[in-house]
């Protein structure tokens, strides 16, 4: 036992720099991720700031029942799920296609140019993106109405149409992040053995056949892992962008769990109620993550753990 401790101590001293580097994110996770979990019990208490967390009376599942039985529960849940699924169905495959297309470009300078052009929108803030959408949607001078006007359509304010909220959110989201999300796939494609492409060329394979039979299979494990992680955040719709795009007209189509938590927890001070809603959201994400990982492990032998 003493020999093991000495050996461990020597290993730590030898790699002290690495352990110090590891300690920084480890402490960050402890302080900002795990320590706040203590406050989750607020969801089961009628929280009173003067009494503290443990001093507040225990009410059990009262706030969960209140949310489930509310008239807006189904609408908020549907908005959250539908917006997230819509985003995933379009936003997940687009970076893969972009990476495959960039990988096929032979001119190095042109390849870098395309990468930079598609990557730049990632540096724009959410406020800038929503401001651009507001300007483009203007019924008097907006770009969207200029385009639809070419086909004889009447000018409308796109941002005030509940039916157009999801398309505006999703497609602007895809445009903003597709270049950044494609980086992982481009990196995975760069590690593919070039001899495979050369062998396929000798056999007379076309570019499309190389993509289907070599490129995609070689990055499939990366695709699966990222897809599992995306499933695990299915109920987590970005708060900032949705909140900035919201208005009184589109509220029925744009109110999601994250904005609901903010309005009730921060603006109205209903801390216990909003914590219960947030905990429900997190539990659903956790169940989806575990289920997706288990299913993937059984079907494809690829998983997060």
């Amino acid at each position: 036992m003493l020999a093991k401790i000495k050996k461990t101590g020597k290993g730590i001293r030898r790699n002290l720099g690495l352990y110090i580097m590891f300690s920084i994110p480890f402490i960050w996770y402890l302080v900002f991720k795990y320590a706040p979990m203590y406050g989750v019990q607020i969801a089961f208490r009628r929280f009173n700031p003067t009494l503290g967390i443990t001093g507040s009376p225990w009410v059990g599942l009262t706030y969960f029942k209140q949310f489930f039985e509310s008239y807006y529960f189904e609408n908020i849940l549907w908005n959250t799920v539908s917006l997230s699924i819509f985003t995933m169905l379009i936003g997940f495959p687009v970076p893969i296609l972009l990476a495959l297309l960039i990988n096929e470009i032979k001119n190095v300078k042109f390849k870098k140019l395309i990468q930079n052009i598609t990557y730049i929108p990632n540096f724009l803030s959410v406020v800038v993106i929503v401001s651009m959408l507001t300007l483009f949607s203007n019924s008097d001078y907006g770009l969207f109405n200029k385009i639809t006007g070419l086909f004889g359509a009447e000018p409308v304010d796109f941002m005030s149409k509940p039916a157009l909220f999801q398309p505006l959110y999703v497609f602007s989201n895809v445009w903003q992040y597709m270049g950044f999300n494609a980086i992982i796939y481009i990196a995975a494609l760069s590690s593919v053995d070039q001899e495979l492409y050369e062998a396929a060329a000798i056999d007379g394979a076309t570019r499309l056949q190389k993509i289907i039979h070599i490129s995609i299979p070689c990055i499939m494990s990366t695709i699966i892992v990222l897809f599992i992680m995306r499933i695990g955040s299915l109920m987590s719709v970005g708060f900032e962008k949705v909140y900035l795009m919201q208005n009184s007209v589109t509220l029925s189509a744009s109110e999601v769990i994250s904005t609901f938590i903010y309005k009730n927890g921060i603006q109205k001070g209903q801390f216990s109620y909003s914590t219960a809603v947030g905990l429900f959201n997190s539990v659903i994400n956790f169940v989806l993550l575990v289920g997706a990982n288990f299913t993937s492990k059984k079907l494809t032998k690829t998983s997060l753990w």
Side-chain angles (χ1 to χ4, degrees):
M1 186 68 180
L2 187 60
K4 265 191 171 182
I5 295 174
K6 287 183 178 179
K7 188 177 180 181
T8 304
K10 286 182 180 178
I12 292 175
R13 286 193 297 272
R14 187 169 55 250
N15 301 292
L16 185 61
L18 295 175
Y19 280 102
I20 293 174
M21 289 177 63
F22 170 75
S23 66
I24 296 173
F26 180 72
I27 293 171
W28 184 88
Y29 264 91
L30 285 179
V31 174
F32 295 103
K33 296 295 183 180
Y34 286 94
M37 289 183 184
Y38 174 78
V40 168
Q41 58 182 298
I42 293 176
F44 306 95
R45 297 178 181 272
R46 186 173 288 108
F47 178 65
N48 187 333
T50 59
L51 298 175
I53 295 177
T54 54
S56 300
W58 186 268
V59 295
L61 301 175
T62 300
Y63 294 111
F64 293 93
K65 292 178 181 177
Q66 180 181 336
F67 180 57
F68 297 151
E69 294 173 359
S70 62
Y71 70 91
Y72 45 73
F73 170 70
E74 291 184 359
N75 183 57
I76 292 175
L77 185 62
W78 168 250
N79 288 343
T80 303
V81 174
S82 61
L83 185 59
S84 187
I85 291 177
F86 189 13
T87 303
M88 184 176 66
L89 289 177
I90 298 176
F92 188 78
V94 168
I96 301 174
L97 295 173
L98 177 62
L100 291 170
L101 291 173
I102 290 176
N103 188 59
E104 290 300 310
I105 300 175
K106 302 305 178 184
N107 189 297
V108 177
K109 290 185 178 179
F110 185 61
K111 179 185 288 189
K112 289 182 178 180
L113 176 64
I114 297 298
Q115 281 185 269
N116 289 331
I117 290 173
T118 55
Y119 186 68
I120 286 173
N122 178 70
F123 295 101
L124 299 177
S125 69
V126 176
V127 176
V128 173
I129 296 296
V130 176
S131 298
M132 290 171 62
L133 287 174
T134 303
L135 290 173
F136 293 163
S137 302
N138 188 278
S139 57
D140 296 325
Y141 53 80
L143 177 64
F144 297 155
N145 280 293
K146 295 293 183 182
I147 295 173
T148 56
L150 298 175
F151 301 94
E154 293 293 325
V156 296
D157 186 357
F158 286 75
M159 293 288 282
S160 64
K161 295 289 182 180
L164 296 177
F165 177 84
Q166 287 194 358
L168 285 174
Y169 177 92
V170 172
F171 287 107
S172 61
N173 213 55
V174 172
W175 171 76
Q176 184 178 6
Y177 296 113
M178 65 178 182
F180 177 78
N181 293 333
I183 291 175
I184 298 176
Y185 300 111
I186 293 172
L189 285 167
S190 66
S191 64
V192 177
D193 190 350
Q194 294 301 310
E195 291 183 0
L196 294 174
Y197 293 110
E198 293 171 5
I202 293 172
D203 290 337
T206 62
R207 279 196 172 188
L208 182 59
Q209 289 173 327
K210 290 178 186 177
I211 292 173
I212 295 173
H213 298 290
I214 299 176
S215 298
I216 294 178
C218 286
I219 64 171
M220 186 54 68
S221 59
T222 304
I223 294 173
I224 292 172
V225 168
L226 292 178
F227 184 72
I228 293 172
M229 294 175 68
R230 182 64 187 86
I231 290 291
S233 60
L234 188 68
M235 297 288 287
S236 301
V237 178
F239 158 76
E240 296 89 351
K241 189 174 181 180
V242 174
Y243 186 71
L244 289 171
M245 289 179 65
Q246 269 185 356
N247 54 60
S248 57
V249 181
T250 62
L251 198 61
S252 60
S254 63
E255 188 76 306
V256 294
I257 289 179
S258 58
T259 56
F260 179 80
I261 292 172
Y262 170 75
K263 291 174 183 177
N264 284 271
I266 304 300
Q267 294 183 340
K268 297 181 180 179
Q270 299 178 1
F271 302 113
S272 295
Y273 184 43
S274 58
T275 302
V277 177
L279 182 58
F280 161 75
N281 192 62
S282 298
V283 169
I284 297 298
N285 275 336
F286 177 74
V287 172
L288 289 172
L289 177 63
V290 173
N293 187 75
F294 177 80
T295 304
S296 176
K297 193 172 185 179
K298 287 290 184 182
L299 297 178
T300 67
K301 307 300 180 184
T302 301
S303 61
L304 290 174
W305 64 84

